[in-house]
Amino acid sequence: MTDISTSELRSRLSQVKLLALDVDGVLTDGGLFYTETGQVLRKFNIKDGQGIKLLKQAGVEVAIITAKSALSTLNRAQDLGITHTFLGVKDKLSQLKTLCQKLDISLSQVAYVGDDINDLEVLQAVGCPMTVADAMSANRSIAIYITKLPGGQGAVREICEMLIASCQ
């Protein structure tokens, strides 16, 4: 983890206008269930969803940027009212930059949560790089905050609550 002071962490959190999230390993535990017919199922955590709703009510935008093109992710995003949902993204940083332009914010105003190597470029570019407790070591070394909980087990809720507290 990047070593920053508590006051620096609070300062960065207070600047956040957008929380961008990876899916597998962040909003889910990274496990995939396959049915007998080959359908892939993901399990999302209800507490994470409530945290996202509360964060949106506090005025922070939320986005999902994922390399997978899973209908289950789109359905979950719609259930949560997340309008900035990008599936099948090969270049996550480019997609995030485009979204930031649309929202008229800078990358320094973004908190991004990613758990694996395809998230490293984005984590290095944003103001609040964050990851989950069970993330890959490279992600943990870049992050300014590592959740106490693993992905899909309330880690996103933990981050949402921190961001909400920084808004007040």
Side-chain angles (χ1 to χ4, degrees), residues 24-143:
D24 293 326
V26 173
L27 282 169
T28 75
D29 65 7
L32 298 175
F33 299 96
Y34 284 84
T35 66
E36 292 298 321
T37 60
Q39 182 181 15
V40 178
L41 305 173
R42 288 169 172 77
K43 180 179 92 172
F44 294 91
N45 187 295
I46 199 79
K47 292 179 181 83
D48 288 341
Q50 183 63 32
I52 289 168
K53 288 179 181 179
L54 293 171
L55 184 62
K56 288 178 53 157
Q57 288 173 4
V60 177
E61 294 280 348
V62 178
I64 289 175
I65 304 175
T66 179
K68 299 287 187 197
S69 294
L71 186 56
S72 59
T73 298
L74 184 59
N75 289 334
R76 183 65 174 146
Q78 289 173 342
D79 286 348
L80 298 174
I82 300 172
T83 56
H84 310 295
T85 305
F86 307 97
L87 308 177
V89 177
K90 294 191 187 322
D91 184 347
K92 291 182 177 188
L93 182 55
S94 178
Q95 182 65 67
L96 181 59
K97 285 178 178 179
T98 300
L99 178 58
C100 285
Q101 283 182 320
K102 178 182 174 185
L103 296 175
D104 195 28
I105 63 172
S106 71
L107 286 172
S108 66
Q109 295 172 299
V110 175
Y112 182 79
V113 188
D115 70 310
D116 213 332
I117 59 172
N118 63 335
D119 299 304
L120 292 175
E121 186 179 34
V122 180
L123 289 170
Q124 292 169 333
V126 299
C128 282
M130 305 173 114
T131 196
V132 295
D134 56 339
M136 301 307 296
S137 62
N139 298 63
R140 291 193 312 266
S141 69
I142 293 171

Side-chain angles (χ1 to χ4, degrees), residues 124-166:
Q124 292 169 333
V126 299
C128 282
M130 305 173 114
T131 196
V132 295
D134 56 339
M136 301 307 296
S137 62
N139 298 63
R140 291 193 312 266
S141 69
I142 293 171
I144 63 168
Y145 183 79
I146 301 170
T147 62
K148 293 170 184 57
L149 298 168
Q153 304 293 317
V156 171
R157 176 66 173 266
E158 184 179 327
I159 289 169
C160 289
E161 288 180 355
M162 288 175 52
L163 288 167
I164 291 166
S166 74

